[in-house]
Amino acid sequence: MEQEGNMKVADVVDCKGWPADKSKTGGWKSASLVLGIEITERLSTIGIGVNLVTYLVSTMHLPSADSANIVTNFLGTSFMLCFLGGLVADTFLGRFATIAIFSVVQALGTGLLSVSTGLPQLRPPPCNSATVRCQQASNLQMTVLYLCLYLIALGTGGLKSSVSGFGSDQFDEKDEKERTQMTSFFSRFFFFISTGTFLAVTMLVYIQDEVGRSWAYGMCCLFMVISIAIFLSGTRRCRYKKRAGSPIVHILQVIVASFRKRKLVHDPNVMLLYENCPEAMRIPHTEQYRFLDKAAIQVEGDDEQMLDGKQMTNPWNLCSVSRVEEVKMLIRLLPVWATTIMFWTVHAQMLTFSVEQASTMERNVGRFNIPAGSLTAFFVGGTLITLAVYDRVVVPLCRSWKDTQGFTNLQRIGIGLALSVLGMIAAALMENRRLSVARSAGSRTTLPVSAFTLIPQFFLVGSGEAFIYTGQLDFFITRSPKSMKTMSTGLFLTTLSLGLFLSSFLVSVVTSITNHNGEKGWLADNINKGRLDYFYALLAVLSTINFIAYLAVAAFVIKPQSPANFGKTSVDNNC
């Protein structure tokens, strides 16, 4: 009987709702089911996003600034919906059903996009030499395009919020062997993300340009359908995490309870505050944000009569100290959260204006003409090379010299922000050179300057992503309570979304301010007539100011926690 009990995994069940049996469920076979869906999701979302600006400009005949905003809004919405997807998974559907349903939504959106880009009726007629002004896409044509894109965004947001969590659910953290396998899973999971991104900016972009977008998007739809079928085939072998309720509800309960008791006098004796968590699961009380402590002051009327006659605490009136401290921990994440948004605004330029720059430059290698969107392979390459060098060189050196595991999460975020500043400076200098060539080249469609001169800006920002992405993920996971880790991961992903939206906002503001008196603005429809270098310089200045603000936050606002406190705040408590 004892051996049988050891084969059960706590907090997870099988497909029939019984306690999961280690010998029959979970492990690598079950975890690998999500890898196919993740690589296909990256192939679709990035493959569409990275080359969409050229389609909008050359085929739909939209202005350059409007096209860039459509791309960043599409990608930004995809990441923003991750927060919604996590809420749906935690509160209603569970991770397995969320992945399955939203994968179908993304496959549907990609399939419709394949059809819409293939039908001549859904795009304007091509320009010709007799056309004074190319005809822009009609409202109907743009509505169909938006429908396809935002179905894909909805699918991406829903499934991306749950794939990594569902994969980790297939391993038992209390089993040493499975805990090691879980660490290996996350490494392979990131590898599959990078592989999907690399295939998107190389193979898929090439197919879009040389064979046809409709064929490329149709392939993505087919791959997603196959991935869904493989995922569903493992239903019987998977482990399913029990839902513990929405963390957003828990946060709202603390806020509402503290507001209701805002007029109460705070007793300096914290021992009198309400606490119902087992001692091993308690989070120590802190003095910061003491106004929230009023949610833990117990007064008459906090208990409500239940139907079975038992008195139970009403969480909207009274919350435990540990529940209050969870909310405090999330609040402490916000300064770093706010100062990392700017990086993803810089990141957005690598997928929009940098691709448009490349489209005006020579991209030949022998007889082979590299698609403009495929230049972002150097961006992905910068990320992969930096990760490899960091893991294989930097971390071992840190272990031998200082007995550390490498840079801290805050240091990695800082390095990423610094590299983004250098990337924008390099981009501004390169664009200034490209514009000088454009002025002397006259009406030539392809400028006599190599697109490979854009590599420094791609590589610097790509290296920055390697540091800031891993640093942010580590920071938000280790500094949040375990019961809110899914939400804190969603909070991290909103920095990507808000950075993309900020890019759209800046583009709109700069276009509005610089287009006056009939003069071409910085972001002209034809970038050879604009001053994109000024826009890059503006981003370099804003990134520098943001970097200084981050240093202040890291030095004075965020207080490092001791290992003991990390242990206490990482427990899963449902108090």
Side-chain angles (χ1 to χ4, degrees), residues 106 228 278 357 390 399 446 506 516:
Q106 192 190 48
I228 294 170
Q357 283 178 285
Y390 180 77
R399 286 174 181 168
T446 301
L506 288 175
H516 60 278

Side-chain angles (χ1 to χ4, degrees), residues 443-555:
S443 59
R444 291 182 59 173
T445 55
T446 301
L447 302 179
V449 57
S450 174
F452 294 111
T453 55
L454 300 177
I455 290 177
Q457 65 198 59
F458 281 121
F459 196 86
L460 285 168
V461 179
S463 297
E465 183 186 14
F467 282 108
I468 200 168
Y469 192 100
T470 57
Q472 277 186 286
L473 191 59
D474 185 18
F475 177 82
F476 280 91
I477 287 178
T478 58
R479 303 262 180 155
S480 65
K482 187 174 181 180
S483 60
M484 295 186 180
K485 287 189 185 298
T486 300
M487 199 188 85
S488 64
T489 303
L491 187 66
F492 151 56
L493 291 173
T494 60
T495 63
L496 282 72
S497 175
L498 293 175
L500 292 163
F501 288 140
L502 178 58
S503 175
S504 297
F505 174 75
L506 288 175
V507 167
S508 298
V509 170
V510 168
T511 301
S512 176
I513 293 175
T514 60
N515 286 359
H516 60 278
N517 298 328
E519 297 180 2
K520 296 291 184 181
W522 290 4
L523 305 176
D525 295 346
N526 182 348
I527 63 170
N528 291 341
K529 305 295 183 181
R531 293 309 304 254
L532 183 59
D533 55 337
Y534 288 175
F535 182 66
Y536 283 156
L538 173 64
L539 288 177
V541 172
L542 293 176
S543 297
T544 301
I545 296 172
N546 179 76
F547 178 61
I548 294 171
Y550 171 78
L551 293 179
V553 165

Side-chain angles (χ1 to χ4, degrees), residues 314-330:
N314 180 1
W316 295 96
N317 290 334
L318 181 65
C319 303
S320 67
V321 171
S322 293
R323 182 70 75 199
V324 171
E325 289 300 322
E326 287 180 340
V327 177
K328 289 183 181 181
M329 292 172 67
L330 288 179

Side-chain angles (χ1 to χ4, degrees), residues 53-360:
V53 69
T54 59
Y55 176 74
L56 295 171
V57 172
S58 61
T59 302
M60 305 301 276
H61 307 149
L62 298 182
S64 175
D66 291 348
S67 300
N69 282 353
I70 290 172
V71 175
T72 51
N73 289 339
F74 160 63
L75 294 174
T77 302
S78 300
F79 288 113
M80 182 62 75
L81 288 173
C82 290
F83 201 79
L84 174 63
L87 178 62
V88 170
D90 287 343
T91 310
F92 303 107
L93 298 178
R95 289 169 178 165
F96 182 87
T98 300
I99 294 171
I101 292 172
F102 285 95
S103 296
V104 172
V105 172
Q106 192 190 48
L108 176 62
T110 309
L112 290 176
L113 185 64
S114 173
V115 174
S116 70
T117 54
L119 292 176
Q121 298 89 338
L122 294 178
R123 59 179 185 266
C127 300
N128 54 62
S129 57
T131 304
V132 178
R133 181 178 176 85
C134 296
Q135 180 182 334
Q136 286 192 19
S138 67
N139 290 335
L140 175 61
Q141 291 167 340
M142 290 306 300
T143 298
V144 173
L145 179 63
Y146 285 139
L147 174 63
C148 299
L149 290 178
Y150 285 98
L151 273 175
I152 295 170
L154 177 62
T156 298
L159 70 91
K160 194 169 182 63
S161 64
S162 298
V163 284
S164 59
F166 184 78
S168 65
D169 289 345
Q170 307 312 307
F171 304 98
D172 182 7
E173 294 184 18
K174 298 179 181 178
D175 185 299
E176 184 176 352
K177 179 181 178 181
E178 292 199 9
R179 187 168 62 250
T180 303
Q181 290 176 335
M182 184 191 298
T183 303
S184 178
F185 166 77
F186 281 121
S187 298
R188 297 187 187 185
F189 182 77
F190 186 78
F191 174 78
F192 269 73
I193 291 177
S194 303
T195 301
T197 302
F198 186 78
L199 290 175
V201 302
T202 52
M203 180 190 74
L204 193 66
V205 169
Y206 179 80
I207 294 174
Q208 289 175 32
D209 287 358
E210 301 299 326
V211 180
R213 291 178 185 270
S214 183
W215 284 99
Y217 301 150
M219 289 173 55
C220 290
C221 178
L222 177 62
F223 290 155
M224 180 57 79
V225 170
I226 294 173
S227 299
I228 294 170
I230 294 173
F231 179 69
L232 294 177
S233 69
T235 302
R236 293 180 178 274
R237 281 204 53 87
C238 291
R239 298 173 186 172
Y240 304 89
K241 197 81 171 179
K242 296 178 182 178
R243 296 192 298 275
S246 172
I248 293 181
V249 173
H250 297 160
I251 294 171
L252 291 176
Q253 287 171 345
V254 172
I255 295 173
V256 170
S258 60
F259 179 78
R260 286 177 173 176
K261 298 177 178 179
R262 63 190 182 280
K263 295 182 180 180
L264 295 180
V265 178
H266 194 291
D267 195 310
N269 186 0
V270 297
M271 299 301 295
L272 298 178
L273 296 177
Y274 175 74
E275 179 63 272
N276 67 341
C277 291
E279 188 172 351
M281 294 184 174
R282 292 178 183 176
I283 300 176
H285 176 268
T286 59
E287 293 296 323
Q288 203 172 17
Y289 312 122
R290 294 195 67 187
F291 62 92
L292 293 174
D293 290 342
K294 294 185 178 182
I297 299 176
Q298 191 165 11
V299 297
E300 185 178 354
D302 283 340
D303 292 339
E304 63 179 8
Q305 186 75 23
M306 305 302 288
L307 293 176
D308 58 1
K310 294 182 179 179
Q311 293 284 346
M312 296 191 66
T313 301
N314 180 1
W316 295 96
N317 290 334
L318 181 65
C319 303
S320 67
V321 171
S322 293
R323 182 70 75 199
V324 171
E325 289 300 322
E326 287 180 340
V327 177
K328 289 183 181 181
M329 292 172 67
L330 288 179
I331 293 176
R332 294 186 190 105
L333 302 179
L334 296 182
V336 167
W337 171 84
T339 51
T340 52
I341 292 173
M342 190 65 206
F343 175 87
W344 301 105
T345 299
V346 170
H347 177 279
Q349 312 317 311
M350 301 301 105
L351 306 178
T352 54
F353 288 121
S354 291
V355 174
E356 195 170 353
Q357 283 178 285
S359 67
T360 68

